[in-house]
Amino acid sequence: MVKKVELSDDLKEIAKFARVMSHPVRVYILKKLSQLNSCCYSGDLVDELPVGRSALSQHLKELKHAGLIQGEIEAPFIKYCLNKENWAKLKKVFAVFLDDAPIDVSSEKKISLKLMNTKE
Amino acid sequence: MVKKVELSDDLKEIAKFARVMSHPVRVYILKKLSQLNSCCYSGDLVDELPVGRSALSQHLKELKHAGLIQGEIEAPFIKYCLNKENWAKLKKVFAVFLDDAPIDVSSEKKISLKLMNTKE
DNA sequence: ATTATATTTCGTAGTTTTGCGAAATGATAA
DNA sequence: TTATCATTTCGCAAAACTACGAAATATAAT
């Protein structure tokens, strides 16, 4: 009889990142920001995307809350750009999950994926 | 004035795959099946995972519906394994999104990511 | 045929997500 | 101060997600 344990933090983190990417508008924003090492403004996005201002703001909030983007006040606008550290983390986490060669981020060496939490 | 267009199918596909991976139980199953080129049974999973039979069945159904796993009847059990073709597609789609080197899948050459649908 | 086993589907309930317009915030310009 | 602009927060409603137990299905064993 196998024991029921809690799912690992690794698994939960993947699920959390995936959750953020589970809406096309958020994928669009992430892709745009990662592509050109660029930045964007809510006002521009609302013109480009099929979504209203308040809904867009919610998506930005979620991305912010997940630590994937950050806003910087710039006169009457807010300039959003990628949080490179966490973006790199997301990439690494997915690379490991997808069994590809791990991305070299900082000095971490962990490349295995834990499926269950172990008490220690 | 920039025109509002529908978000691209590429974006929607990424969001869809991400949606499937947005629950740790589903991530667990996918990881398990992809790891050893292995298979699994609902009955074993329900012993390993902190979720009831019916909830587990729902997760399997979602994975099946997304085309990522497939079940094969084997006497009183159902043996689940990865749908390798779609798993490869998922990997490719994410690799492109994450700007990594594209994975060589079949003979497709498209490696760019479309952000908007274009009428043609 | 009856019983037992493996799994799914159904019905239900609580939670979360999503999107909108209206109102609020905050900062600049007149 | 008042007006204006960019953005967010609030309140709400519709839809989707998650989980559970009970019932249903399907197959094997007796």
Side-chain angles (χ1 to χ4, degrees):
Chain A
M1 168 74 175
V2 188
K3 258 209 146 179
K4 283 204 192 205
V5 238
E6 214 197 343
L7 292 166
S8 76
D9 294 335
D10 284 348
L11 247 32
K12 288 181 193 164
E13 186 169 49
I14 293 173
K16 220 155 226 177
F17 277 138
R19 168 78 207 31
V20 179
M21 301 197 299
S22 71
H23 193 291
V25 164
R26 294 193 291 265
V27 177
Y28 177 95
I29 295 169
L30 286 175
K31 189 60 196 174
K32 183 156 203 179
L33 290 183
S34 69
Q35 259 179 334
L36 326 151
N37 192 21
S38 69
C39 59
C40 66
Y41 301 85
S42 173
D44 294 336
L45 290 175
V46 87
D47 289 332
E48 297 166 36
L49 295 169
V51 70
R53 290 178 193 283
S54 54
L56 173 63
S57 194
Q58 294 281 9
H59 289 305
L60 289 170
K61 188 183 182 182
E62 275 198 68
L63 289 166
K64 226 183 312 175
H65 187 259
L68 292 173
I69 68 171
Q70 52 202 126
E72 186 187 333
I73 296 172
E74 202 178 64
F77 307 97
I78 296 176
K79 182 173 85 174
Y80 286 102
C81 58
L82 221 54
N83 178 318
K84 292 189 186 178
E85 194 179 328
N86 286 328
W87 178 247
K89 188 175 186 182
L90 180 150
K91 284 173 71 167
K92 186 186 171 189
V93 161
F94 273 91
V96 172
F97 174 66
L98 298 171
D99 252 336
D100 293 336
I103 294 167
D104 185 34
V105 174
S106 72
S107 60
E108 292 189 51
K109 313 192 232 320
K110 198 180 77 168
I111 56 162
S112 67
L113 179 68
K114 221 199 273 190
L115 289 180
M116 292 298 185
N117 280 333
T118 48
K119 320 173 190 181
E120 37 197 333
Chain B
M1 169 72 176
V2 187
K3 256 210 149 181
K4 283 206 193 206
V5 237
E6 214 197 343
L7 292 165
S8 76
D9 294 334
D10 284 347
L11 246 32
K12 288 181 192 165
E13 186 168 50
I14 293 173
K16 218 156 228 180
F17 278 138
R19 169 78 207 34
V20 179
M21 301 197 297
S22 71
H23 192 292
V25 163
R26 293 194 290 265
V27 178
Y28 177 95
I29 295 169
L30 286 175
K31 187 62 195 174
K32 184 156 200 178
L33 290 182
S34 68
Q35 259 179 336
L36 326 152
N37 191 22
S38 70
C39 59
C40 67
Y41 301 84
S42 173
D44 295 336
L45 290 175
V46 87
D47 289 333
E48 297 166 36
L49 295 169
V51 69
R53 290 176 195 283
S54 54
L56 174 64
S57 194
Q58 294 283 8
H59 289 303
L60 290 170
K61 188 181 181 182
E62 274 197 68
L63 289 166
K64 225 183 315 175
H65 187 257
L68 293 174
I69 68 171
Q70 52 203 130
E72 184 187 334
I73 295 173
E74 202 178 65
F77 308 97
I78 296 175
K79 183 174 85 175
Y80 285 102
C81 58
L82 221 54
N83 178 318
K84 292 187 185 179
E85 193 180 328
N86 286 327
W87 178 247
K89 188 174 187 183
L90 181 150
K91 285 173 70 167
K92 185 185 171 187
V93 161
F94 272 90
V96 172
F97 174 66
L98 297 171
D99 252 335
D100 294 335
I103 295 169
D104 185 34
V105 173
S106 71
S107 58
E108 292 189 50
K109 316 192 227 321
K110 198 180 76 168
I111 57 162
S112 67
L113 179 69
K114 220 199 272 189
L115 289 180
M116 292 297 186
N117 280 333
T118 49
K119 322 174 190 184
E120 40 197 331

